Amino acid sequence: MSAARAGHYDAATVETFFNPKVVAVIGASPDTLWSRQLLDGMRSHGFQGRVYVVNPSRSSVLGFQSFKSVADLPEKPDIAAVLLGAKHVPGMLEQVAATGCKAAYVLAAGFEKPDQLAALREHAKKLGLILIGPNCNGFINAGAGLHLWTGPINRPYRHGTVALLGQSSGVLGALCCLTWDRGLGISFQISTGNQVNFALTDALNFLATNADTRVVVTYVEQFGDYPHFVEAVQKCRANNTPVIVVAVGRSEAGRGAALGHTGAITTTGAVTRAAIEAAGAIPVDTLDEALDRASVFAVTPPRAWRPVRTAGLISISGGWSALMGDYFADEGIATPPLPESVTKLLPGWVENVTFNNPFDITAQIYGFAEVYYQMADEMIKHDGFDAVSIMFGNWDGGERFFAPVATWQGRIPKPIIASCIETSALKDSYREWLDSDPMPNVQGGQALARGLAAMRDYFDKPGYLPQGWCTDKPKRWKGPAVATFPDMAKPLSAYGLNCAGHATLLDHTGKAGKGKPSFPAVLKLESPQLPHKTEYGAVKVGIADDKACAAAVKALAAIANKQKLKTWSVIAQPMLDLTDSLELLAGIVHDHVAGPVLTLGAGGVLAELFDKHAHALCPITPAQAEAMIDRIGVRKILNGYRGKPALDTASLVGTLVGLSQFAYDHRADLKELDLNPIVVPPAGTPTTLIDALARFGE
């Protein structure tokens, strides 16, 4: 799909767009599948507005009155669905706009090429029209019965609290089917297709304040205007509407980077996930996972939401209890022991009940049902459980044991949920009962664990990009296009990075420097034309005295001449004692959508042992720096182990925060910055940068 800069439409205009009273369906015919799906859906879902068809060859289409032209319509439509071929679309949009209508949905493909889409965008702008599409199936407002959708949906759908949003109609149709299978309902389903002038981010801004929507599941092929995406997610969070994103990575961050290591380890998928987290949305990998993580938000009232770190669960199956214990552990949700207020209630004659959590009360529940209700109440009231679920599904008569869920929902500020181990395990009679008397229920054990974990993450990971991100003016880089350590030391020091001292001993003009090395020293040949010094033997370590220094300078100058370097210098740095220190790689790659991306990974000999890298959008907070450190698995080394001293984590955090701020401030020019290695010494000595290479350009 093609990216479009979001329109930033006012709320009143978009409200009319999605809540029309009069709909014109242009080009509908009983002979086309898309016409049948749209008009049959309008009828079956009970749209209360007026629907007119425009088809010059028919007086009615599928039971709807038809008119010969748009000009013949008895009233101005609020939105027009244009079901014509691409070549007829521009002219028909002119007729639509002539009625005073301001909104249209365009089904047709055929505008995929950039020049075609640009022409349609300009045409719509001149006409003053907002367009959904082209090349998509439209949208659904389930609460209004507005089925402006031309694609197949092979399950029924019901009105509910999950909004489905994306650029692919096929994906949304599948998601809609999955909501039915899980017992969920939708508020809206919106496809944006080629996004001629109404983008996914515009729809997300609308859903942020929609009263029917508790959670948004969105499929993203391109962020397009990423700052507007950030703004929309922040607006959703301000209105307590979580956004769950399953994304297909489209950016090509660092793929063509030629200078340093950072580009090679910054993958498209990693940048996409970092961009989702930075905005404050919840990233997922699959459609199933997206609905799993939306499930608890969808079925529990917002007043009951909280960061769920612990859970209690009641089941009448030992196998189900064991599986749920694993599912909770997989998601990092603790299952504390049952409190005495629960265990003391069990009758003495009950056998083979183990007081574990998840709690298998066994089928003997039918013999002590009156005690069960008291036990469930005590579990729900217990402060040690952030959420409680009661899991049944296979046995006749079990529905009466969901009474505590129905009783406590909304009365206590925590999720209280009925559940079953898998969607297919729920009795048909239970499904009918839940449809007629809705209550918080999640169908599937893994869905329950993922949903509770998503609620925790929603509170714990609110995003870290500041309000107004990327609206301030960036700073201009005034140094060379390719900058080496001598060029970068002073600018980075201004952002709080501790750069190793250096003395310039010789440069390409033949001029000897005034500085003197401190022995033992490391001598380096620095040049924009020689990004990887070690490959040419351009680093000399362990230089002990003036004589060795002179020989090293001569050898490095010879390398510069052999490689025909235009500009170069030989610098000397104090040789650091790396005993008990940790070497890390930090760097920046500029992504064309998300801007500067910070990467952190292990350096030196640990690079192959710790093949993990963390990525974050700039600028980051100290908390985000700590999270990146945890993600690459070096926390135990930093804390000290087996008699080793603790390292200076605080200065490492400061280095990462300062580096990210430098990158953000210079985002208009900075393309790549490689710091390899940075050295984290024992506590009390600051993290030190000993090498740097950067590329700047428009």
Side-chain angles (χ1 to χ4, degrees), residues 76-370:
K76 174 182 73 69
D78 295 315
I79 188 168
V82 181
L83 310 186
L84 302 174
K87 66 180 180 180
H88 301 294
V89 167
M92 185 52 66
L93 291 179
E94 292 176 4
Q95 296 180 45
V96 168
T99 69
C101 179
K102 298 296 183 183
Y105 151 55
V106 176
L107 165 69
F111 297 95
E112 289 75 22
K113 294 180 179 179
D115 58 335
Q116 296 171 323
L117 197 62
L120 183 61
R121 182 176 296 124
E122 185 62 28
H123 190 58
K125 182 179 179 181
K126 289 179 180 179
L127 296 174
L129 284 172
I130 304 176
L131 301 186
I132 271 194
N135 191 23
C136 71
N137 289 148
F139 69 90
I140 295 169
N141 178 344
L146 178 63
H147 186 93
L148 203 73
W149 187 265
T150 54
I153 299 176
N154 299 321
R155 297 284 193 279
Y157 65 82
R158 61 167 64 91
H159 180 222
T161 61
V162 181
L164 305 177
L165 171 61
Q167 294 148 321
S168 167
S169 301
V171 168
L172 291 185
L175 274 170
C176 192
C177 294
L178 290 170
T179 62
W180 173 261
D181 291 340
R182 295 161 181 266
L184 300 173
I186 65 170
S187 56
F188 281 82
Q189 177 166 300
I190 305 170
S191 64
T192 57
N194 290 134
Q195 304 191 134
V196 65
N197 68 0
F198 187 87
L200 181 144
T201 50
D202 290 301
L204 192 55
N205 266 287
F206 163 72
L207 293 170
T209 56
N210 177 252
D212 285 350
T213 300
R214 283 185 187 167
V215 58
V216 179
V217 172
T218 179
Y219 169 80
V220 176
E221 292 182 349
Q222 290 179 334
F223 287 113
D225 184 353
Y226 177 72
H228 193 214
F229 174 81
V230 174
E231 175 188 301
V233 173
Q234 290 175 340
K235 183 177 179 181
C236 285
R237 292 191 67 93
N239 289 280
N240 207 22
T241 305
V243 179
I244 296 170
V245 182
V246 53
V248 179
R250 296 294 185 188
S251 60
E252 297 180 355
R255 287 189 180 272
L259 283 176
H261 300 277
T262 306
I265 61 176
T266 302
T267 65
T268 299
V271 171
T272 300
R273 193 172 188 90
I276 295 168
E277 291 178 338
I282 299 171
V284 297
D285 295 325
T286 66
L287 302 183
D288 278 322
E289 185 188 354
L291 291 178
D292 285 351
R293 300 213 181 269
S295 61
V296 176
F297 294 115
V299 303
T300 56
R303 60 182 176 274
W305 295 0
R306 62 157 65 179
V308 177
R309 298 184 178 87
T310 61
L313 184 134
I314 303 171
S315 169
I316 56 175
S317 165
W320 285 11
S321 297
L323 280 169
M324 287 308 304
D326 287 344
Y327 289 151
F328 283 142
D330 289 343
E331 295 295 333
I333 296 174
T335 51
L338 300 178
E340 184 184 0
S341 60
V342 172
T343 60
K344 71 181 182 181
L345 294 172
L346 192 69
W349 54 264
V350 176
E351 299 177 349
N352 301 320
V353 172
T354 303
F355 285 113
N356 296 322
N357 178 28
F359 180 23
D360 171 22
I361 59 176
T362 79
Q364 294 177 88
I365 186 174
Y366 293 101
F368 59 95
E370 71 284 355

Side-chain angles (χ1 to χ4, degrees), residues 262-474:
T262 306
I265 61 176
T266 302
T267 65
T268 299
V271 171
T272 300
R273 193 172 188 90
I276 295 168
E277 291 178 338
I282 299 171
V284 297
D285 295 325
T286 66
L287 302 183
D288 278 322
E289 185 188 354
L291 291 178
D292 285 351
R293 300 213 181 269
S295 61
V296 176
F297 294 115
V299 303
T300 56
R303 60 182 176 274
W305 295 0
R306 62 157 65 179
V308 177
R309 298 184 178 87
T310 61
L313 184 134
I314 303 171
S315 169
I316 56 175
S317 165
W320 285 11
S321 297
L323 280 169
M324 287 308 304
D326 287 344
Y327 289 151
F328 283 142
D330 289 343
E331 295 295 333
I333 296 174
T335 51
L338 300 178
E340 184 184 0
S341 60
V342 172
T343 60
K344 71 181 182 181
L345 294 172
L346 192 69
W349 54 264
V350 176
E351 299 177 349
N352 301 320
V353 172
T354 303
F355 285 113
N356 296 322
N357 178 28
F359 180 23
D360 171 22
I361 59 176
T362 79
Q364 294 177 88
I365 186 174
Y366 293 101
F368 59 95
E370 71 284 355
V371 178
Y372 156 75
Y373 295 110
Q374 299 173 39
M375 296 172 73
D377 284 352
E378 291 301 324
M379 284 188 69
I380 289 168
K381 291 187 294 184
H382 181 50
D383 289 339
F385 300 137
D386 295 324
V388 175
S389 181
I390 297 174
M391 177 172 280
F392 289 93
N394 287 1
W395 285 268
D396 288 330
E399 62 268 19
R400 68 183 182 274
F401 295 109
F402 287 129
V405 178
T407 301
W408 283 98
Q409 63 167 317
R411 291 179 54 211
I412 193 168
K414 66 172 71 173
I416 309 300
I417 304 169
S419 60
C420 61
I421 195 64
E422 294 298 341
T423 302
S424 59
L426 192 67
K427 286 173 55 67
D428 289 342
S429 60
Y430 285 11
R431 291 180 186 275
E432 295 173 2
W433 169 57
L434 290 168
D435 287 345
S436 62
D437 185 17
M439 63 184 295
N441 74 97
V442 172
Q443 298 175 19
Q446 188 174 50
L448 174 63
R450 284 174 165 177
L452 294 175
M455 188 168 285
R456 174 201 62 210
D457 292 345
Y458 175 66
F459 287 96
D460 288 354
K461 300 176 181 179
Y464 53 86
L465 297 180
Q467 292 288 331
W469 180 76
C470 271
T471 59
D472 56 326
K473 188 176 181 180

